[in-house]
Amino acid sequence: MATFCRLRSLLGLQKLVCSVSPFYPMRSYSSSPFGRIGFIGLGNMGARMADSLIKDGYEVAVYDINHNIMKMFSDKGVLTEDSPLKVAETSDVVITMLPSSNHVLDVYTGKNGFLSGGNLLRPRLFIDSSTIDPQTSRKVSAAVSNCSLIDKRDGWKAPAMLDAPVSGGVLAAENGTLTFMVGGPEEAYLAAKPLFLSMGKNTIYCGGSGNGATAKICNNLAMAISMLGVSEAFALGQSLGIEASTLTKIFNSSSARCWSSDTYNPVPGVMDGVPSSRNYIGGFASKLMAKDLNLAAASAKDIGFKCPLTSQAEKIFTELCNNGHEAKDFSGVFRYYYSGKDEQ
């Protein structure tokens, strides 16, 4: 607690921000004790999250293996570095948004990774928003906590790490309305909250290290099984002669009501503005759902927990991907696995 004793008092201070580049004209006042923010991983999600920080007035340094995206940021006046280590050496906080557990391990502990320069670190806080297994999150967090700070200012005596995966997808990242599920030291979470609220609208503290990652895979597990159940019921109903639009009315006024029926309906022609209305383009790709189910299944196996629905869901979405539908939204399981019909 003493590590962060002064930090909490800093949370109410306002940081006057200046224009970083004419490409980011919108500026606000950000409440944060941190200076430069490093951001690693500028894919569909990461690039938009970094943009939100920049627009909110933070000084940001970035790195990605994609040189084209790096040039795009550089052309806007954003500092780019040539390795994760270089970003860490110039940042107070580093945020990562990476595809897999192996990528996270490489960025933290691999060649030119954050910890490759020794046990003395500049960043006071590391935030990983990747969707990975909780075991890897805890392993990396332990490695970070065994290091020391070069500059022990503002009450920080050691670096801290938060696992903070997100929900909401690309559109929420674009609009700054993500939800963060956060695991790690609570004092570090409180210090990081202004950063989360620059990129999103909701933050939920989940407890100790790895609990954010656990929350994310459990959420996506429930979402996958829910979508499979609704899709199976719709397809069966169609085969037995009832229209999906009629079943939707019944579900949504009865005990079967859920997000997959009333907000993200998988049947083309039933609901506007969802992936099923645009040939399952956009949304949450089936390959990402298969990946998250694999994480859930592997985590369950590690602790000897039986989860037959997880195993079956993983098989179905893996089959969907193997049949060429990996880029389609996961609600496409209605059409591509159950052979459901469009609503006319």
Side-chain angles (χ1 to χ4, degrees):
M1 183 70 70
T3 301
F4 302 100
C5 59
R6 286 188 57 207
L7 187 58
R8 297 186 70 170
S9 67
L10 291 172
L11 293 177
L13 296 179
Q14 296 298 315
K15 183 182 74 174
L16 181 63
V17 296
C18 309
S19 178
V20 174
S21 160
F23 294 94
Y24 292 99
M26 295 180 63
R27 289 295 179 268
S28 65
Y29 290 89
S30 298
S31 174
S32 171
F34 303 115
R36 177 175 290 162
I37 311 300
F39 207 106
I40 313 293
L42 303 172
N44 288 333
M45 295 293 291
R48 289 164 172 82
M49 293 164 68
D51 265 335
S52 291
L53 291 169
I54 295 164
K55 289 174 182 176
D56 211 27
Y58 288 97
E59 183 183 358
V60 176
V62 300
Y63 171 76
D64 193 275
I65 59 172
N66 185 328
H67 295 292
N68 291 330
I69 193 73
M70 288 273 279
K71 185 178 186 306
M72 186 184 79
F73 274 85
S74 178
D75 288 347
K76 294 177 180 180
V78 178
L79 177 64
T80 59
E81 298 286 4
D82 59 11
S83 73
L85 178 60
K86 288 287 185 66
V87 171
E89 288 175 341
T90 62
S91 302
D92 296 317
V93 180
V94 181
I95 302 171
T96 48
M97 186 57 155
L98 301 164
S100 71
S101 300
N102 287 337
H103 290 94
V104 172
L105 285 170
D106 186 56
V107 164
Y108 273 84
T109 63
K111 182 181 179 182
N112 294 319
F114 299 147
L115 308 185
S116 63
N119 287 334
L120 283 177
L121 306 177
R122 171 174 168 170
R124 288 171 278 166
L125 180 60
F126 294 85
I127 299 171
D128 181 40
S129 287
S130 315
T131 298
I132 62 174
D133 62 279
Q135 295 90 333
T136 297
S137 287
R138 289 167 181 149
K139 178 180 179 180
V140 174
S141 179
V144 168
S145 66
N146 285 331
C147 296
S148 299
L149 287 172
I150 294 172
D151 184 1
K152 298 180 181 180
R153 57 192 173 92
D154 295 335
W156 291 75
K157 297 187 182 303
M161 181 178 176
L162 298 171
D163 48 288
V166 301
S167 179
V170 173
L171 184 60
E174 180 82 36
N175 295 330
T177 57
L178 293 166
T179 292
F180 287 85
M181 297 159 265
V182 189
E186 187 171 8
E187 296 292 340
Y189 162 73
L190 293 173
K193 199 166 184 180
L195 296 175
F196 295 137
L197 295 178
S198 285
M199 299 178 284
K201 67 175 183 179
N202 296 309
T203 68
I204 302 170
Y205 180 62
C206 302
S209 174
N211 281 9
T214 298
K216 177 62 186 288
I217 62 174
C218 288
N219 178 79
N220 283 17
L221 161 62
M223 183 170 68
I225 292 172
S226 169
M227 182 58 73
L228 289 173
V230 166
S231 295
E232 188 170 294
F234 280 142
L236 174 62
Q238 287 181 333
S239 298
L240 293 174
I242 188 170
E243 293 183 346
S245 57
T246 302
L247 274 180
T248 296
K249 294 175 184 176
I250 294 168
F251 288 1
N252 291 345
S253 59
S254 304
S255 55
R257 183 174 186 170
C258 63
W259 180 81
S260 296
S261 68
D262 69 5
T263 303
Y264 212 80
N265 197 289
V267 182
V270 171
M271 185 176 291
D272 293 330
V274 294
S276 62
S277 70
R278 51 180 185 266
N279 199 31
Y280 302 105
I281 293 172
F284 189 64
S286 293
K287 64 181 179 181
L288 297 179
M289 181 57 83
K291 169 207 154 189
D292 291 355
L293 289 167
N294 178 265
L295 291 174
S299 296
K301 184 178 180 180
D302 282 347
I303 60 172
F305 182 80
K306 294 181 180 180
C307 49
L309 294 181
T310 302
S311 299
Q312 186 61 31
E314 182 190 10
K315 289 178 183 177
I316 290 173
F317 281 101
T318 299
E319 180 179 329
L320 210 63
C321 294
N322 291 339
N323 288 337
H325 308 298
E326 66 275 7
K328 296 287 189 177
D329 180 73
F330 81 106
S331 64
V333 71
F334 169 77
R335 174 189 287 171
Y336 302 115
Y337 183 82
Y338 289 109
S339 301
K341 304 297 188 295
D342 294 10
E343 188 86 352
Q344 300 300 321

